[in-house]
Amino acid sequence: MARHPAPRHLVVGGAGYVGSHLVAELLSRGEDVTVFDDLSTGHAAAILPGAHFVRASLADQAAVDAVLADGPWHAVFHFAALSLVGDSMREPLRYLRRNIGEGLTLIDSCVRHGVKRFVLSSTAALFGTAGDGPISESTPIDPGSPYGESKWALERALAWTSRIHGLRYAALRYFNAAGADAQGRLGEDHAPETHLIPLTIDAALGRRPPLTVFGADYATPDGTAIRDYVHVTDLATAHLAALALLEKDRDAVFNLGTGSGNSVREVIAAVERVSGRPVPHTLGPRRAGDPPVLVAASDAIAAATGWSPRFRTLDEIVATALAWRQAHPRGYDDAMPDSRAS
Ligand code: UFG
């Protein structure tokens, strides 16, 4: 009898923010899921019951080979990376070395172990200076940060391994992942937290100091930077839509957003509406590496797969994030009562 009769999915970085929401979607569809994560930024409590778990690092080649050898894997999803644009502007070589080196370790092991489908978490940060219009897959690539550069390097590596080794790949360029699992099981918990929506919510709840708006002198209607906030569960379902293309032996490179942008001031207003509380905030200088506007044209994935975001408004997205922050004031530490017992 086969030891693993169901198709098996390996989710590298599956204890992190976006990865854990993909695991939730896979489990809800009855799939067999293994999370590979070193918990350096992910959380054990974000690995839902039903998923298998291998605690190891992508820096550990033997551990990577061991899990790939324990196949066959129907698909490998790669979420594990350093992902802060601002940090990458301070530590470019750390970002390039870690993200490219560890990504290549994983891709190489997939090729050697006969994996046929690979899904990469890519980023809107490929389009650093794209201008103000919606960004499509044909918009010229021009990373504005070493973080974006590292993801572009992995996209190129995958294009070559698809062509030469037949490892079909999807590169999904997330715009701004936001929100939380609608069932309240999962949410956003970074340490330190640098993302706009959780910081804005915490400022409204009085749990953090006032928000600093990074730049109010951009050439945008209200002077603050514009991003395309897309719900994290919608990102997860997009992975499954892209996987269906890989199963037809096609590669899939898509920009993933809602197609509409919101400024920092609009995010503040949404949090005030949804929470019913004011958001204390001050105006500060721009953050290095931040483009003024990043909004996706997400028609391509819609046309190819029928995917579209279920969470269409900023208020809906903020509501799920607020529910998570209110239920978990200390993030996943609330799920592990001993971890801050003193
Ligand atoms: N911002 C503030 N104050 C804060 C934090 C953020 O004004 O305290 C602003 C930023 O300057 C930016 C916007 O809010 O204009 C969103 O910032 P985030 O830090 O939430 O997200 P980023 O746009 O910097 O980056 C995120 C991911 C990246 C990804 C990028 C793609 O962290 O991995 O989206 O758009 F590449």
Side-chain angles (χ1 to χ4, degrees), residues 47-288:
I47 303 169
L48 290 175
H52 311 284
F53 178 41
V54 175
R55 182 171 184 172
S57 165
L58 283 179
D60 181 348
Q61 171 98 51
V64 174
D65 282 339
V67 79
L68 266 300
D70 180 37
W73 297 105
H74 181 72
V76 172
F77 299 85
H78 177 31
F79 294 91
L82 303 173
S83 63
L84 299 176
V85 171
D87 279 1
S88 83
M89 296 299 282
R90 287 184 289 277
E91 302 182 276
L93 294 177
R94 184 164 83 94
Y95 265 69
L96 294 168
R97 184 182 294 123
R98 282 275 309 274
N99 285 0
I100 299 174
E102 293 179 4
L104 292 180
T105 297
L106 179 63
I107 295 165
D108 178 54
S109 193
C110 288
V111 169
R112 285 186 284 105
H113 291 92
V115 173
K116 294 287 176 232
R117 298 164 206 93
F118 190 101
V119 182
L120 173 71
S121 291
S122 190
T123 175
L126 300 190
F127 305 103
T129 54
D132 294 353
I135 296 170
S136 78
E137 290 72 7
S138 59
T139 299
I141 303 290
D142 182 14
S145 64
Y147 167 65
E149 190 73 45
S150 72
K151 293 289 184 170
W152 178 232
L154 292 182
E155 287 201 20
R156 295 305 304 150
L158 286 165
W160 287 109
T161 48
S162 175
R163 187 159 143 189
I164 296 168
H165 298 296
L167 173 61
R168 297 294 172 244
Y169 80 104
L172 303 180
R173 295 147 173 185
Y174 314 153
F175 282 60
N176 285 59
D181 173 50
Q183 295 179 44
R185 300 165 297 174
L186 305 167
E188 186 164 12
D189 181 3
H190 298 110
E193 187 54 78
T194 64
H195 292 96
L196 179 64
I197 289 179
L199 291 179
T200 308
I201 288 172
D202 282 0
L205 298 178
R207 291 189 187 144
R208 290 185 198 259
L211 179 77
T212 302
V213 176
F214 294 150
D217 58 348
Y218 287 105
T220 58
D222 69 17
T224 65
I226 293 175
R227 295 289 181 273
D228 184 339
Y229 296 92
V230 54
H231 195 277
V232 63
T233 298
D234 285 326
L235 291 181
T237 59
H239 287 69
L240 302 180
L243 178 60
L245 292 183
L246 306 190
E247 287 165 349
K248 294 178 191 153
D249 208 25
R250 290 174 54 188
D251 292 330
V253 176
F254 294 124
N255 295 353
L256 284 187
T258 64
S260 66
N262 291 103
S263 70
V264 175
R265 286 191 206 274
E266 286 173 336
V267 169
I268 291 171
V271 169
E272 290 183 335
R273 267 195 308 277
V274 174
S275 70
R277 297 169 184 240
V279 173
H281 62 277
T282 59
L283 304 183
R286 297 182 182 189
R287 186 171 63 180

Side-chain angles (χ1 to χ4, degrees), residues 11-21 23 34-48 53-54 79-80 186-187 189 332:
V11 184
V12 179
Y17 176 42
V18 186
S20 62
H21 285 78
V23 170
T34 296
V35 170
F36 179 105
D37 201 303
D38 64 3
L39 301 184
S40 56
T41 56
H43 305 272
I47 303 169
L48 290 175
F53 178 41
V54 175
F79 294 91
L186 305 167
D189 181 3
Y332 286 105

